[in-house]
Amino acid sequence: MTDNALPERSRKAVWHPCTQMKQHETLPLIALARAEGVWLYGHDGKRYLDAVGSWWVNLFGHGNSRINAAIRSQLDTMEHVMLAGFTHEPVVELSERLSKLVPGKLGHCFYSSDGASAVEIALKMSFHYWRNSGHPEKSVFVSVQNGYHGETLGALSVTDVALFADAYAPLLRQSAHVSTPDWRYASEGEFPRDHALRAAATLEAYLAEHHAQTAAFIVEPLVQGAAGMGMYHPDYLKRAREICDKYQVHLIADEIAVGFGRTGTLFACEQAGIAADIMCLGKGLSGGYLPLSVVMTTEKVYEAFYDDNVARGFLHSHTHAGNALACRAALAVLDIFEQEHIIDANRVKASYLNHAARPIASHPKVKNFRNCGMIWAFDVETSDPAFVGKFSQAALKQELSLRPLGNTVYFMPPYIIDQPQMDLLVSGTLRVLESC
Ligand SMILES: *Cc1c(COP(=O)(O)O)cnc(C)c1O
């Protein structure tokens, strides 16, 4: 179907996310007709390589035949039922399998739809645990400078991205932010590990003073996504784990963006050899197909709610919790990881792209070229306030869907990307750099 009026109809009827709508007076929306593999196809027949994985969710390409088949067969059986009072095979199987895969013993899975709602659940669960354990005064959360945990009010309270949070400051809970371990903030000549340990010392100093009021420390393991793919040394997490244990504070690992292989291991915490008390997963969990998130926790946390008294239970809910179609998609994702040896295959792809991208890393306008697993990022020297729009538009002309975060350009491609597609990603990006 061709419909040239679609962008204009959308501009009038659809309020697009994370967008100043007025910009679409001059920057046209792209109406997509279909998607297959790494490619998004416009109504006009043009194609775009989905280099940001449709906002970090797409793992195995669009229209993946295995995930499609899994959803189709579930669709013919049962699409959705409420998860209170009822259960079903996809949600039970997914919970059992996830519990075996994540670091530590997180045997209890609480479901929701989006990442932000998973973060809300984690924060409430931590606070309520302490309340049920005789410590209602533990009600403050500490998070990391430049951290991002979603847009709902609780999640935004532990987020430190001014552009998203400042307008709502009067609505947000006070929460503390400790120094970021992101190595871009290291002092001249300082090693990333030393910088990370210096950042961890600010967490220790904060908790030494405030642990009695603090319920949890929430962190994005290894990569601070929305901060501009800020990467840091895993020893930060190791220290944070020790500090949280010492001061009786929960460690919440927000692996919504970094989980499912993005950092080179199935979960980022593995690289630090730590386990969280509460872990949030989302985004890639369903392969980017359907909204699905999960909060996983320990026997100890779960036990604090287990009681004859209803009010001691965790009475939180989201209507679509444990949606059967989404769980089936997630099970297909886990099958693909196991049967197609994705983590190993990604290592080979990452080394190819690192090699191919050398001209980007050494480009005179580029600083801090970095890679972690299947995430690449670099900062562009620019003072142009319209950089994001200009770069994205120029990228589309090179058949690339790229959406910089400030002056940071990043790649989070689907794992099915092949070598010619990686070459195209690099050569197109170099041409965009020349024109911006
Ligand atoms: C995207 C993201 C969220 C929020 O997830 P939504 O599904 O967009 O609500 C939370 N935490 C991190 C680290 C994220 O990257």
Side-chain angles (χ1 to χ4, degrees):
M1 191 190 79
T2 313
D3 186 347
N4 296 329
L6 216 46
E8 193 50 22
R9 283 168 55 202
S10 190
R11 201 168 72 83
K12 292 208 171 105
V14 182
W15 198 337
H16 290 263
C18 202
T19 298
Q20 170 49 270
M21 288 301 293
K22 190 163 193 291
Q23 291 183 346
H24 284 306
E25 282 181 7
T26 48
L27 298 178
L29 285 152
I30 311 289
L32 296 175
R34 65 189 184 88
E36 192 184 334
V38 299
W39 295 107
L40 313 174
Y41 293 93
H43 277 267
D44 54 7
K46 290 189 179 135
R47 63 173 194 174
Y48 311 99
L49 197 157
D50 190 0
V52 297
S54 293
W55 263 348
W56 323 350
V57 299
N58 193 289
L59 302 186
F60 302 124
H62 297 275
N64 181 286
S65 57
R66 294 186 70 168
I67 305 174
N68 283 8
I71 294 174
R72 268 195 205 105
S73 83
Q74 184 60 41
L75 191 56
D76 289 335
T77 315
M78 182 173 73
E79 77 301 327
H80 175 76
V81 292
M82 65 179 173
L83 202 61
F86 292 111
T87 194
H88 49 77
E89 193 180 84
V91 78
V92 174
E93 203 181 317
L94 181 61
S95 307
E96 290 172 352
R97 283 178 70 179
L98 285 174
S99 296
K100 287 200 190 98
L101 290 170
V102 300
K105 292 200 173 73
L106 307 179
H108 302 279
C109 295
F110 195 101
Y111 288 89
S112 182
S113 313
D114 294 291
S117 49
V119 170
E120 299 291 331
I121 289 162
L123 299 176
K124 284 178 68 179
M125 191 180 275
S126 172
F127 165 75
H128 200 164
Y129 166 89
W130 292 115
R131 186 173 184 273
N132 281 353
S133 311
H135 292 289
E137 71 285 358
K138 280 169 94 67
S139 63
V140 175
F141 302 104
V142 54
S143 56
V144 184
Q145 174 195 0
N146 299 338
Y148 179 84
H149 301 286
E151 305 287 345
T152 53
L153 293 177
L156 207 52
S157 294
V158 290
T159 287
D160 181 36
V161 179
L163 183 63
F164 302 148
D166 279 4
Y168 309 100
L171 306 182
L172 304 181
R173 281 181 59 78
Q174 283 296 315
S175 85
H177 304 299
V178 292
S179 302
T180 177
D182 179 347
W183 59 251
R184 290 177 298 168
Y185 292 80
S187 311
E188 184 87 20
E190 189 179 32
F191 288 113
R193 181 172 181 272
D194 294 332
H195 173 68
L197 293 178
R198 198 155 59 82
T202 70
L203 173 64
E204 167 126 48
Y206 178 84
L207 288 183
E209 196 173 337
H210 301 288
H211 64 94
Q213 295 81 43
T214 306
F217 167 61
I218 181 165
V219 61
E220 293 162 271
L222 294 189
V223 182
Q224 291 188 290
M229 302 299 158
M231 299 180 184
Y232 63 85
H233 196 281
D235 281 359
Y236 178 80
L237 296 170
K238 218 178 257 174
R239 269 305 286 147
R241 179 69 272 179
E242 290 163 6
I243 294 164
C244 287
D245 287 341
K246 177 170 169 190
Y247 291 104
Q248 298 284 295
V249 164
H250 288 142
L251 191 154
I252 301 174
D254 177 353
E255 292 225 13
I256 290 164
V258 295
F260 298 98
R262 266 298 156 197
T263 66
T265 43
L266 194 54
F267 298 101
C269 283
E270 291 170 37
Q271 293 181 47
I274 66 149
D277 301 296
I278 301 174
M279 187 172 194
C280 302
L281 300 174
K283 291 201 168 118
L285 172 59
S286 70
Y289 265 66
L290 290 159
L292 181 68
S293 62
V294 63
V295 177
M296 302 178 64
T297 194
T298 59
E299 195 62 30
K300 187 172 176 194
V301 168
Y302 180 78
E303 275 291 325
F305 293 83
Y306 203 78
D307 199 87
D308 291 328
N309 179 357
V310 172
R312 276 179 72 95
F314 193 54
L315 304 185
H316 187 102
S317 68
H318 292 282
T319 308
H320 284 97
N323 175 274
L325 295 169
C327 290
R328 264 304 169 220
L331 286 166
V333 164
L334 296 183
D335 287 343
I336 295 172
F337 266 108
E338 278 169 25
Q339 294 161 19
E340 300 181 21
H341 308 288
I342 298 298
I343 298 291
D344 293 336
N346 281 356
R347 212 166 286 139
V348 178
K349 291 187 186 197
S351 112
Y352 182 84
L353 186 46
N354 274 328
H355 185 82
R358 278 186 197 167
I360 297 179
S362 61
H363 192 281
K365 282 187 200 160
V366 166
K367 267 183 23 188
N368 300 329
F369 183 89
R370 52 199 181 276
N371 161 245
C372 179
M374 292 296 278
I375 307 173
W376 288 263
F378 55 90
D379 307 329
V380 178
E381 304 262 23
T382 176
S383 49
D384 186 349
F387 172 75
V388 172
K390 283 184 189 163
F391 193 98
S392 310
Q393 287 300 308
L396 291 170
K397 294 204 176 78
Q398 302 297 330
E399 302 192 313
L400 300 178
S401 162
L402 287 170
R403 203 182 146 94
L405 295 155
N407 70 331
T408 297
V409 177
Y410 68 93
F411 307 148
M412 266 169 103
Y415 303 159
I416 55 153
I417 192 168
D418 64 19
Q419 291 189 356
Q421 291 160 351
M422 289 191 261
D423 291 339
L424 197 128
L425 176 56
V426 170
S427 59
T429 301
L430 282 167
R431 277 195 286 274
V432 178
L433 275 171
E434 288 313 318
S435 71
C436 280

